[in-house]
Amino acid sequence: MSEQEIISMPRIGDQAPDFKAMTTTGPMQFSEYIKGSWTIFFSHPADFTPVCTTEMSGFALDQKFFDEHNTKLVGLSIDSIHAHIAWVNNVKKNTGVLFEFPIVADIDMRVSKLYGMLQPGESETAAVRAVFFIDPNGKIRLIMYYPLNVGRNMDEIKRVLIALQTADKHKVALPLNWTPGEKVIVPPPKTVAEMQEREASDYEMIDFYLAKKEL
């Protein structure tokens, strides 16, 4: 029985694995590049492919939103730096959209395997559509995986980013389908005194353990 290569799968709460690679904006030490900011690190199956072009263009068109939310974008696919640059140039010529964020060249699939982006059951030669949300301390906070033939939802990516930042800033939780401006969930009481204090508050009380408030 032949030995199978073990591919890592980073988990929520792990430190984002560090790596050094060439990108479309120059050499990158990942941990240094993302330090002090939120980061969305995402993979796409291949350059010059239709779904990937729509997704990368979507990130590029929302660049201002991510800048305003202290968030860096980093893309990746298992292609050479030359293919990346040619694709960036092709999309700019045909649509006027420029991918200003760095795209990691991962021709040896080293980074893809490090992040569990290469999933043999889907493809052995293309990364799935993975999305890693990384906080300013370099910790992975949320992970999304999409198959090769289904594009991501940019509205959900932006919603999740704001939700994570809101939860951290206000020490709250977010209910089902939460969007900015809606009420948030306050942490449940840990003592009887806290429970009584909550019952006397102006929170929206569904029960003593489930209460909402405006921010």
Side-chain angles (χ1 to χ4, degrees):
M1 184 175 179
S2 61
E3 293 184 2
Q4 291 186 342
E5 182 180 10
I6 297 175
I7 299 176
S8 63
M9 293 286 288
R11 298 168 296 185
I12 292 174
D14 289 351
Q15 285 297 119
D18 194 19
F19 61 86
K20 187 173 184 178
M22 180 59 70
T23 78
T24 50
T25 61
M28 172 189 290
Q29 186 73 48
F30 189 64
S31 61
E32 289 298 316
Y33 182 76
I34 69 173
K35 185 182 294 183
S37 68
W38 286 82
T39 303
I40 297 178
F41 182 34
F42 57 97
S43 57
H44 61 275
D47 298 344
F48 295 100
T49 54
V51 177
C52 296
T53 299
T54 65
E55 289 189 321
M56 299 291 275
S57 297
F59 278 111
L61 291 169
D62 276 320
Q63 182 72 61
K64 183 179 178 181
F65 169 88
F66 294 111
D67 291 343
E68 290 172 347
H69 288 83
N70 186 34
T71 302
K72 292 181 176 179
L73 300 173
V74 181
L76 173 147
S77 78
I78 301 171
D79 290 288
S80 69
I81 192 64
H82 306 292
H84 282 346
I85 293 172
W87 186 39
V88 170
N89 184 54
N90 178 265
V91 174
K92 178 66 167 60
K93 284 184 176 180
N94 289 325
T95 69
V97 177
L98 177 63
F99 306 160
E100 297 181 9
F101 50 83
I103 305 173
V104 174
D106 192 34
I107 194 74
D108 60 1
M109 301 182 282
R110 179 175 53 89
V111 181
S112 298
K113 292 176 181 178
L114 187 64
Y115 274 81
M117 295 169 171
L118 187 67
Q119 300 189 9
E122 179 75 357
S123 173
E124 294 187 355
T125 59
V128 295
R129 301 180 193 282
V131 190
F132 292 85
F133 293 77
I134 303 169
D135 70 18
N137 295 316
K139 182 181 290 186
I140 295 173
R141 298 293 298 279
L142 191 146
I143 304 171
M144 299 175 175
Y145 282 105
Y146 292 75
L148 304 183
N149 60 351
V150 177
R152 286 163 273 218
N153 185 308
M154 189 58 65
D155 288 338
E156 175 63 1
I157 287 173
K158 293 191 291 184
R159 187 193 75 90
V160 162
L161 176 64
I162 295 173
L164 289 169
Q165 294 179 343
T166 299
D168 280 10
K169 180 178 179 180
H170 298 282
K171 309 303 180 187
V172 295
L174 293 312
L176 173 73
N177 295 330
W178 180 87
T179 56
E182 295 181 345
K183 291 181 179 180
V184 300
I185 295 175
V186 295
K190 297 180 177 62
T191 65
V192 172
E194 288 183 5
M195 180 184 69
Q196 293 173 332
E197 181 180 343
R198 169 169 298 195
E199 289 175 342
S201 72
D202 59 356
Y203 294 161
E204 177 189 340
M205 297 289 297
I206 289 83
D207 207 327
F208 79 91
Y209 65 90
L210 175 54
K212 298 180 181 180
K213 71 173 183 178
E214 303 276 1
L215 287 179

